[in-house]
């Protein structure tokens, strides 16, 4: 989701224990409320994706993730995460042209990596179905509908694809938004994308984009926003209600709060790098009662905190979480968030505890 400027064909800075899904939890645990997971349609489009997807923000990045280093070992781990995700049925991948900054030493564009992984997988399994989403960066010097098409073609070049399944405006522009929406519609009509969406859009901007596309008979399929158990701004600012009303799917980035809801971080062991300045020891101290409850509920179902946190989001309805997978183990763990459901009482209890924690700031453009 975050803003990093990249290169490539785009020439302008162009305690983890993974649990397999089970019909019943281990002996002595609660019986799982099992659910058959089908792919879900994104909004009013015809595009169907896995109920949980994979975010590729961290792939190739050296400015926010990966301890400022990307190497062959990192790429091998990401490739394994990609392949295990597909093996586990998580076949929806989200990237962006600005993931993997060309200005950062050693970085590789995330689109380039995803395209490489897809090509390798299809050589072994030509019939594999993979849904790809990427995003247009509304940079100040980009004007009009043609800028969207030009950027999309550059993304397709890096991805080594002739079309993508979902193309999104990464954030609202300082100006030129009507032209950007026109560009999305043009991309659909030219067959370059199957569906279009936005990201970090407020309720007002969301409704405007929806109406403008509707006039051309094109549905606004999704709004990708920061949404997790401890960051519920979409519920509070009208975005979630508007999406439900208009039939627009929410794609939730940072659904486990950049790893904080996994339980792996403590006040004595906060995240490294920039995340450590966001999720401070003071914040992690306030988070502990919620994490304890998440762990307690997870133990009932033989599920990890990660799986409980993702399941909570799925339980909100009309939400597709896209946690980032840097390893095969993480990808396998994400699969365990599906096939069962928290009870309504558990969903409410977690919300009540989470409401006592003041959230950290989201992406600033959410308020534009």
């Amino acid at each position: 989701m975050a803003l990093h400027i990249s290169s490539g064909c785009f020439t302008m800075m162009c305690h983890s224990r993974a649990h397999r899904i089970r019909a019943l939890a281990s002996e002595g645990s609660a019986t799982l409320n099992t659910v058959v997971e089908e792919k879900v349609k994104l909004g009013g489009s015809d595009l169907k994706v896995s109920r949980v997807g994979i975010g590729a923000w961290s792939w190739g990045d050296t400015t926010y993730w990966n301890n400022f280093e990307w190497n062959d070992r990192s790429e091998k781990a990401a490739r394994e995460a990609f392949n295990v995700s597909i093996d586990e049925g998580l076949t929806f991948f989200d990237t962006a042209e600005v993931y993997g900054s060309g200005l950062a030493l050693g970085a590789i564009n995330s689109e380039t990596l995803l395209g490489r992984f897809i090509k390798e997988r299809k050589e072994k399994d030509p019939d594999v179905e993979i849904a790809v989403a990427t995003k247009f960066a509304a940079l100040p010097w980009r004007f009009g509908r043609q800028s969207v098409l030009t950027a999309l073609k550059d993304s397709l070049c890096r991805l080594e694809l002739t079309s993508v399944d979902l193309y999104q405006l990464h954030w609202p522009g300082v100006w030129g938004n009507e032209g950007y929406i026109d560009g999305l519609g043009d991309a659909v009509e030219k067959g370059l994308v199957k569906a279009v969406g936005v990201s970090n859009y407020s309720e007002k901007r969301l409704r405007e984009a929806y109406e403008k596309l509707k006039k051309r008979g094109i549905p606004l399929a999704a709004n990708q926003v920061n949404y997790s158990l401890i960051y519920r701004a979409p519920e509070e600012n009208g975005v979630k209600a508007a999406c439900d009303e208009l039939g627009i799917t929410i794609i939730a980035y940072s659904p486990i709060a950049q790893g904080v809801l996994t339980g792996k971080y403590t006040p004595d062991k906060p995240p490294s790098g920039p995340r450590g300045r966001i999720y401070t020891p003071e914040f992690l101290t306030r988070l502990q009662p919620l994490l304890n409850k998440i762990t307690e509920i997870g133990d009932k179902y033989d599920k990890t905190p990660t799986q409980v946190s993702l399941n909570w989001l799925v339980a909100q309805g009309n939400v597709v979480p896209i946690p980032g997978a840097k390893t095969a183990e993480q990808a396998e763990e994400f699969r365990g968030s599906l096939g069962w459901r928290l009870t309504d009482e558990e969903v409410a209890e977690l919300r009540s505890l989470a409401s006592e924690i003041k959230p950290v700031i989201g992406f600033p453009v959410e308020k534009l």
Side-chain angles (χ1 to χ4, degrees), residues 54 59 74-88 90 93 117 121 324-332 334:
I54 297 295
W59 293 359
S74 307
E75 182 169 336
K76 180 175 183 292
R79 178 180 288 105
E80 291 172 349
F82 170 82
N83 284 310
V84 169
S85 295
I86 293 174
D87 294 341
E88 295 290 343
L90 308 182
F93 294 86
F117 299 161
R121 179 74 182 219
K326 294 196 292 182
T327 67
E329 291 76 18
Q330 288 175 339
E332 187 174 14
F334 297 157

Side-chain angles (χ1 to χ4, degrees), residues 23-37:
L24 295 175
S26 59
E27 184 178 354
S29 299
T31 301
L32 284 177
N33 178 20
T34 57
V35 177
V36 176
E37 301 290 358

Side-chain angles (χ1 to χ4, degrees), residues 65-354:
W65 299 98
N66 308 307
N67 294 316
F68 309 109
E69 179 183 14
W70 186 262
N71 51 37
D72 291 344
R73 185 172 61 255
S74 307
E75 182 169 336
K76 180 175 183 292
R79 178 180 288 105
E80 291 172 349
F82 170 82
N83 284 310
V84 169
S85 295
I86 293 174
D87 294 341
E88 295 290 343
L90 308 182
T91 56
F92 176 44
F93 294 86
D94 177 83
T95 183
E97 63 174 326
V98 295
Y99 292 167
S101 173
L103 299 179
L105 183 65
I108 298 179
N109 185 274
S110 173
E111 290 178 327
T112 299
L113 289 170
L114 179 57
R116 184 180 301 168
F117 299 161
I118 292 172
K119 183 178 180 179
E120 293 169 354
R121 179 74 182 219
K122 283 188 173 290
E123 288 175 352
K124 300 176 182 177
D125 185 4
D127 296 326
V128 66
E129 294 184 359
I130 301 169
V132 176
T134 192
K135 297 186 282 295
F136 166 85
L139 301 169
W141 54 85
R142 285 178 161 174
F143 299 94
R145 63 206 308 162
Q146 187 58 45
S147 65
V148 175
L149 293 175
T150 299
L152 172 56
K153 290 174 182 177
D154 285 338
S155 287
L156 292 174
C157 173
R158 287 187 291 273
L159 287 161
E160 298 186 69
L161 298 173
T162 57
S163 66
V164 291
D165 298 277
L166 176 67
Y167 197 49
Q168 306 151 98
L169 303 181
H170 204 154
W171 60 86
V174 178
W175 47 68
N177 284 285
E178 288 194 0
Y180 297 156
I181 299 298
D182 288 336
L184 290 183
D186 295 345
V188 173
E189 292 176 353
K190 291 178 180 294
L192 297 175
V193 302
K194 292 181 181 178
V196 291
V198 293
S199 180
N200 298 299
Y201 265 48
S202 66
E203 178 189 358
K204 179 177 181 295
R205 287 190 180 275
L206 183 72
R207 291 184 182 276
E208 292 170 348
Y210 172 87
E211 292 297 335
K212 191 169 182 60
L213 287 168
K214 183 180 178 181
K215 292 177 181 178
R216 298 176 67 172
I218 298 172
L220 180 62
N223 185 16
Q224 184 176 147
V225 294
N226 187 351
Y227 190 17
S228 71
L229 181 55
I230 60 171
Y231 190 82
R232 299 178 311 286
E235 299 176 355
E236 299 159 358
N237 59 20
V239 166
K240 177 68 164 65
C243 285
D244 292 345
E245 173 196 337
L246 300 174
I248 301 169
T249 300
I250 283 186
I251 298 175
Y253 69 74
S254 297
I256 49 177
Q258 301 179 20
V260 171
L261 288 173
T262 66
K264 67 185 290 185
Y265 301 115
T266 67
D268 295 328
K269 186 183 177 184
S272 60
R275 288 181 297 158
R277 295 194 292 272
I278 301 172
Y279 301 106
T280 63
E282 293 77 18
F283 179 84
L284 293 171
T285 298
R286 297 194 300 272
L287 189 64
Q288 287 310 300
L290 174 62
L291 287 176
N292 292 340
K293 177 55 66 174
I294 292 173
T295 300
E296 178 186 323
I297 291 174
D299 287 344
K300 288 173 55 181
Y301 298 111
D302 198 18
K303 295 293 177 181
T304 66
T306 295
Q307 292 165 342
V308 171
S309 298
L310 291 174
N311 194 275
W312 185 90
L313 266 180
V314 172
Q316 306 311 306
N318 194 35
V319 178
V320 175
I322 51 167
K326 294 196 292 182
T327 67
E329 291 76 18
Q330 288 175 339
E332 187 174 14
E333 184 177 18
F334 297 157
R335 177 62 182 87
S337 66
L338 296 176
W340 62 286
R341 288 290 186 274
L342 294 165
T343 66
D344 292 343
E345 292 76 16
E346 289 163 342
V347 169
E349 185 176 17
L350 290 176
R351 181 189 299 279
S352 177
L353 277 173

